[in-house]
Amino acid sequence: QVQLAESGGQLVQAGGSLRLSCLVSGRTLSTFVIGWFRRPPGEEREFVAGIAGDDGRTFYSPSVKGRFTVALDSAQNTVYLQMNSLKTDDTAVYYCGALISGTWIRASDYSYWGQGTQVTVSS
């Protein structure tokens, strides 16, 4: 059974940094694309960044490109989202999802999800 568990969310000031983790169990990372999504208050879930577990290809939303970095540790079966230069608009619940096939930015194509972790950026 595949399970994903996010961690690392917390309250941080604007301009600060956070690193989120997504631990994947039940299957190796190489079989998935792992995507990070977020749901700001009162809004729909949106794609943030993704990484292919087999070759490390990455893709970012324009809103975070240059500020966020996604990386994986195959030995730990964990994907990280390093978030720098945080803005108040980055406040959201952040989720990681596992995609077997489909479109990276489309949440409905993902097969597995974590429970989410809250990131709050204060001004």
Side-chain angles (χ1 to χ4, degrees):
Q1 182 179 355
V2 177
Q3 293 184 318
L4 285 74
E6 304 94 339
S7 61
Q10 61 180 290
L11 174 66
V12 64
Q13 285 193 323
S17 298
L18 274 180
R19 189 178 77 162
L20 305 183
S21 300
C22 174
L23 174 63
V24 180
S25 60
R27 202 179 294 183
T28 60
L29 280 179
S30 62
T31 60
F32 297 119
V33 166
I34 300 297
W36 284 97
F37 287 73
R38 65 187 182 188
R39 188 193 299 274
E43 298 184 29
E44 298 293 317
R45 191 176 301 199
E46 62 184 22
F47 175 81
V48 175
I51 187 165
D54 55 356
D55 62 9
R57 287 172 295 128
T58 58
F59 184 72
Y60 296 91
S61 164
S63 63
V64 307
K65 192 171 185 178
R67 300 188 298 123
F68 291 11
T69 303
V70 60
L72 63 85
D73 183 336
S74 297
Q76 300 295 324
N77 234 41
T78 299
V79 173
Y80 301 98
L81 183 68
Q82 177 67 43
M83 306 187 294
N84 299 328
S85 302
L86 283 162
K87 307 174 182 179
T88 56
D89 287 348
D90 295 319
T91 295
V93 178
Y94 282 73
Y95 301 88
C96 61
L99 176 72
I100 298 172
S101 65
T103 303
W104 286 33
I105 66 172
R106 187 182 300 151
S108 59
D109 284 356
Y110 284 69
S111 300
Y112 307 98
W113 291 97
Q115 79 288 349
T117 186
Q118 176 71 47
V119 172
T120 303
V121 184
S122 65
S123 58

